[in-house]
Amino acid sequence: MRIEITRVIDVPDELVGVNALEAVVREEGFALMRELFGTLWQRFQALHWHCPKCGSREVEGAGEKTFDLLTAFGKVNLPRQRLACQQCGTIAKPLDDWLRALGEHRATWFVQELTCLAGASWPFAAAETIVERVLLGPISHEQVRQVSTAEGERVATQLAKEAQAVLEAPVMDKGEEDPQGINVVVDGDWVRSRDNPEGMEGKVGVVYTGVAKVGKHRRKLVNRRYAVTFNGSDLLGKLVYAEASKLGVEQAQRLRLLGDGAAWEETIQAEHFHRAKRVLDLWHLERRISRALQSVFASQPDELTLHREQLRCWIRQGKAEETLAELRGFAERYREVPKELAKTIGYVERHRSAIINYEADLATGEHVGSGAVEKAGDLVINRRFKGRRGMRWWRKNADALASLRVLYLNGDWDQHWLQRRSRPPEAA
């Protein structure tokens, strides 16, 4: 098929600078692409002038209706021909399969991918502006919301199914152990919710095999994979284990689980990482102890400094029992134990087995804090779901967009959209 299109372009003589020239060329180029798209649509529609059911070419036109399609070069108005078969009476439209393959949104895959990336990265109003600038065509922030959340829901469902499949897979020979270690860090971040006036927690997990230097003063996590959900710790455990399995968790000689001591973290360990060495986050532990000492020695700054340094030294050496005995000794001075001190004693008692020799681990280059997951919470949740007055979320929508963000951060974005383009049509 050969198509020849001639287009006359009027360029103002008073154009000044390359920016003005770029604007004219881009606008005219997009207009030419829309014209070519419409012409080719008509040609291919004519090639499909037959009954899709019986194959008969004894068909006649039964009217047409315009179909507005958002493309990479703006909105194109496509005349959608309606055919009536004289043999079997079928009413059909040529190229229906082409449009059905795009799913429920009147946009090409390029536009859908761009919209999802924008919607998962910025507030919907900002995403609307960005997509409009790229396409030189109108799109509403509601369209951005609908497309990105719908795709995010598919991604979230797909990740949950894959995680369940990993758990249900038959246990095979583990093979030779891999000396490479695996670290699993979990935590939660709260966001404002439309479902719950008290907010809701997005639970995040990070899996990585080590740390590498980037330049003089920076480091990065090696083989880092993220997992996230707003639907509880049970699902997070499955998602995190599925990501860990991609790094060979069953063959890893060293497996560590870091967290701040939330009860659901222990459940995840018991169900999915029972071999893991549990590590209580050093930063959270030291902050707890500091608050407890502050409640005891608030009016004695010298005593506060002395005891703070002593307990800090014991904690970093993994001396949980000595620390616990010292805190209990402080509590015996009171008829009514200060609230912060009582909470800290209980905290250390519950997690004494996870208080390790932090100095020894630091000397070998291991992480002893949950900084990795704190950063993950910032990347996956905080940067998109917080920080703007009035931003509140339905749980389903938040989970959808968070799943898109994880898909991108894990480097699986391109593979996902390649698969999406090759899947059977989902909607008429």
Side-chain angles (χ1 to χ4, degrees), residues 30 102 123 185 201 280 390 393 405:
F30 273 33
L102 300 176
V185 195
E201 186 178 35
L280 187 63
W393 296 90
R405 291 177 70 80

Side-chain angles (χ1 to χ4, degrees), residues 148-209:
S148 54
T149 54
E151 192 63 33
E153 287 172 19
R154 289 191 189 89
V155 172
T157 300
Q158 177 184 326
L159 292 175
K161 287 181 178 178
E162 290 175 357
Q164 189 63 37
V166 170
L167 293 174
E168 294 175 354
V171 178
M172 309 297 287
D173 182 8
K174 294 181 181 179
E176 187 175 343
E177 284 194 339
D178 189 344
Q180 171 178 264
I182 290 183
N183 298 283
V184 180
V185 195
V186 292
D187 198 5
D189 280 282
W190 284 82
V191 302
R192 297 180 66 187
S193 171
R194 294 182 181 273
D195 298 290
N196 187 345
E198 296 180 359
M200 61 183 177
E201 186 178 35
K203 291 181 169 60
V204 184
V206 185
V207 184
Y208 61 98
T209 58

Side-chain angles (χ1 to χ4, degrees), residues 1-8 32 35-40 43:
M1 181 186 298
R2 177 175 293 179
I3 301 293
E4 182 176 337
I5 294 180
T6 302
R7 185 178 181 86
V8 178
L32 178 60
E35 182 180 344
L36 177 59
F37 193 98
T39 301
L40 287 171
R43 293 290 183 92

Side-chain angles (χ1 to χ4, degrees), residues 36 55 64 91 129 204-205 211 218 252 354 384:
L36 177 59
E64 67 177 33
I91 302 295
T129 301
V204 184
V211 182
R218 295 179 57 208
R384 179 61 183 91

Side-chain angles (χ1 to χ4, degrees), residues 42 48 57 129 166 183 197 220 262 275 283 292 340 378 407:
Q42 292 277 45
H48 289 73
R57 291 197 172 271
T129 301
V166 170
N183 298 283
K220 71 173 183 178
R275 290 195 303 114
W283 183 79
E340 283 294 336
D378 180 49
L407 188 73

Side-chain angles (χ1 to χ4, degrees), residues 2 66 106 125 145-146 184 195 233 263 292 302 322 349 355 372 410 414:
R2 177 175 293 179
T66 300
R106 295 190 172 204
R145 185 193 67 78
Q146 289 179 3
V184 180
D195 298 290
S233 58
D302 292 339
E322 290 87 339
E349 284 179 338
I355 297 175
N410 283 345
D414 290 341

Side-chain angles (χ1 to χ4, degrees), residues 53-329:
K53 185 175 181 180
C54 67
S56 172
R57 291 197 172 271
E58 294 184 25
V59 294
E60 62 180 16
E64 67 177 33
K65 187 176 181 180
T66 300
F67 185 91
D68 296 329
L69 180 66
L70 193 56
T71 72
F73 31 84
K75 184 176 289 187
V76 178
N77 300 316
L78 302 176
R80 198 178 186 189
Q81 180 66 57
R82 191 166 180 262
L83 303 179
C85 179
Q86 303 302 301
Q87 292 290 331
C88 66
T90 297
I91 302 295
K93 301 181 185 71
L95 306 185
D96 252 16
D97 288 345
W98 288 23
L99 299 177
R100 191 180 300 114
L102 300 176
E104 67 270 37
H105 305 294
R106 295 190 172 204
T108 62
W109 285 120
F110 174 90
V111 175
Q112 291 191 43
E113 180 182 354
L114 173 64
T115 302
C116 287
L117 185 59
S121 303
W122 299 287
F124 294 131
E128 169 193 343
T129 301
I130 291 166
V131 175
E132 283 185 340
R133 293 291 190 275
V134 173
L135 303 182
L136 287 184
I139 185 171
S140 70
H141 64 269
E142 179 60 19
Q143 286 176 289
V144 175
R145 185 193 67 78
Q146 289 179 3
V147 173
S148 54
T149 54
E151 192 63 33
E153 287 172 19
R154 289 191 189 89
V155 172
T157 300
Q158 177 184 326
L159 292 175
K161 287 181 178 178
E162 290 175 357
Q164 189 63 37
V166 170
L167 293 174
E168 294 175 354
V171 178
M172 309 297 287
D173 182 8
K174 294 181 181 179
E176 187 175 343
E177 284 194 339
D178 189 344
Q180 171 178 264
I182 290 183
N183 298 283
V184 180
V185 195
V186 292
D187 198 5
D189 280 282
W190 284 82
V191 302
R192 297 180 66 187
S193 171
R194 294 182 181 273
D195 298 290
N196 187 345
E198 296 180 359
M200 61 183 177
E201 186 178 35
K203 291 181 169 60
V204 184
V206 185
V207 184
Y208 61 98
T209 58
V211 182
K213 283 188 175 182
V214 181
K216 274 189 175 183
H217 307 292
R218 295 179 57 208
R219 299 190 301 170
K220 71 173 183 178
L221 303 183
V222 179
N223 298 322
R224 175 181 53 197
R225 307 270 319 166
Y226 296 102
V228 64
T229 184
F230 281 87
N231 289 309
S233 58
D234 181 61
L235 179 55
L236 180 73
K238 296 176 182 179
L239 294 172
V240 171
Y241 180 78
E243 296 302 329
S245 70
K246 296 174 184 177
L247 302 181
V249 66
E250 296 300 333
Q251 289 76 38
Q253 286 183 1
R254 296 180 297 107
L255 181 59
R256 302 165 80 244
L257 178 65
L258 291 85
D260 62 9
W264 57 268
E265 296 172 3
E266 298 178 7
T267 303
I268 287 179
Q269 180 184 25
E271 293 182 354
H272 303 290
F273 300 101
H274 59 277
R275 290 195 303 114
K277 175 184 177 181
R278 184 78 189 283
V279 179
L280 187 63
D281 174 40
L282 177 60
W283 183 79
H284 279 90
L285 178 57
E286 289 186 335
R287 186 177 63 170
R288 286 257 191 174
I289 290 175
S290 180
R291 287 177 177 176
L293 293 176
Q294 184 70 33
S295 69
V296 176
F297 301 106
S299 60
Q300 300 172 275
D302 292 339
E303 288 292 313
L304 175 61
T305 301
L306 177 65
H307 289 292
R308 182 180 284 162
E309 287 303 314
Q310 177 63 72
L311 292 185
R312 181 177 181 274
C313 181
W314 283 350
I315 282 298
R316 287 180 170 255
Q317 293 174 6
K319 296 180 178 180
E321 297 302 329
E322 290 87 339
T323 301
L324 194 54
E326 187 78 354
L327 293 174
R328 285 170 175 162

Side-chain angles (χ1 to χ4, degrees), residues 325-378:
E326 187 78 354
L327 293 174
R328 285 170 175 162
F330 297 148
E332 291 174 358
R333 304 178 184 181
Y334 297 90
R335 179 174 297 178
E336 184 176 345
V337 180
K339 185 177 179 180
E340 283 294 336
L341 178 58
K343 286 170 61 177
T344 301
I345 291 173
Y347 185 74
V348 175
E349 284 179 338
R350 288 194 306 274
H351 303 296
R352 67 179 78 184
S353 62
I355 297 175
I356 63 168
N357 188 332
Y358 296 101
E359 290 182 348
D361 271 29
L362 283 169
T364 61
E366 296 280 13
H367 275 169
V368 295
S370 55
V373 79
E374 298 282 350
K375 183 62 175 179
D378 180 49

